[in-house]
Amino acid sequence: MQPLTSGDFTEENEPFALFQKWLDEATKSEPNDPTGMALSTVDAEGMPNSRMVLLKGHGPDGFVFYTNTESQKGQELIGQPKAAALFHWKSLRRQIRIRGNVALVSDAESDAYFQSRPRDSRIGAWASQQSRPLESRFALEKAVASYTLKFGIGEIPRPAYWRGFRITPTYIEFWRDGAFRLHDRIIFRRDSNETPWTKTRFYP
């Protein structure tokens, strides 16, 4: 088990700086998608769903990702605007759990990120009717070819249904693996983004 030292993460009192530190370290050590997070939502009946998405922005105002708002997760987030996210970095034997309310980011923010994406990804956003039945792979490739021809070499606008969501966290948990399952856990909680964080150390 790793000893508790003056530099130990459990002594941190602000979660966003600690998140950035861990993400920076994961970026150096994870072989694939260090920004990948498991996103959990619920449908109108309260049935949960989880899937992997990529974190595309973060800071004191929250954690941002993008999707088709007409998809299953998009509709669940709009209908039940709360979510949980989980980062697991196997190379570091660490994980971070996040829970909070969800809201759409501004059109300007969505536009700016959409235009930063590779051209083929922007075409794909138009071609994919996400979470709806697809008759064949050929039908998808045909849609991609159609939009490629439509936009030519010009600008590709953002589809109105392609938006960003921001999780404003009220709960952030940092977990580090320990020998014999004597893990280290600290949990930051707050009532809203206007109230200060409280920190508690938990048993494994």
Side-chain angles (χ1 to χ4, degrees):
M1 182 173 62
Q2 299 183 43
L4 184 64
T5 68
S6 60
D8 190 84
F9 80 95
T10 61
E11 296 185 354
E12 296 287 344
N13 291 310
E14 200 287 310
F16 294 111
L18 181 56
F19 177 87
Q20 182 66 65
K21 180 179 179 180
W22 279 24
L23 180 61
D24 289 344
E25 292 174 2
T27 300
K28 298 174 183 176
S29 67
E30 284 294 299
N32 293 300
D33 296 332
T35 59
M37 64 182 187
L39 176 72
S40 297
T41 57
V42 295
D43 64 17
E45 285 72 48
M47 183 65 72
N49 269 314
S50 294
R51 77 289 283 165
M52 297 300 294
V53 300
L54 296 178
L55 178 72
K56 292 301 181 179
H58 66 282
D61 55 346
F63 300 86
V64 177
F65 60 95
Y66 291 84
T67 191
N68 184 326
T69 57
E70 296 177 357
S71 69
Q72 184 179 55
K73 65 178 170 296
Q75 290 298 294
E76 289 175 355
L77 288 164
I78 290 170
Q80 309 288 332
K82 300 178 186 294
L86 170 67
F87 294 87
H88 176 233
W89 296 304
K90 189 173 183 179
S91 64
L92 297 175
R93 306 176 76 89
R94 297 174 182 171
Q95 69 178 25
I96 298 175
R97 297 170 59 203
I98 296 165
R99 301 171 72 198
N101 297 314
V102 176
L104 288 164
V105 306
S106 68
D107 286 344
E109 190 171 348
S110 292
D111 287 340
Y113 177 69
F114 187 77
Q115 294 305 323
S116 76
R117 304 179 83 209
R119 188 175 182 83
D120 286 350
S121 294
R122 283 177 276 161
I123 290 174
W126 282 95
S128 176
Q129 300 179 42
Q130 195 173 3
S131 298
R132 281 159 283 189
L134 174 65
E135 62 185 71
S136 67
R137 179 74 185 184
F138 176 72
L140 176 60
E141 292 171 350
K142 184 178 178 181
V144 170
S146 176
Y147 280 108
T148 300
L149 181 63
K150 175 180 178 178
F151 293 119
I153 60 173
E155 181 182 353
I156 302 174
R158 175 181 62 85
Y161 53 76
W162 195 93
R163 300 286 302 274
F165 287 92
R166 176 177 286 106
I167 304 174
T168 300
T170 55
Y171 176 107
I172 305 179
E173 175 183 327
F174 295 83
W175 176 99
R176 183 181 65 187
D177 178 68
F180 308 109
R181 298 190 179 274
L182 299 178
H183 315 305
D184 289 312
R185 294 174 66 192
I186 55 170
I187 294 174
F188 292 90
R189 285 193 176 98
R190 63 181 179 180
D191 294 328
S192 71
N193 60 349
E194 284 84 30
T195 57
W197 292 101
T198 61
K199 184 184 75 172
T200 308
R201 184 165 185 161
F202 271 49
Y203 279 96

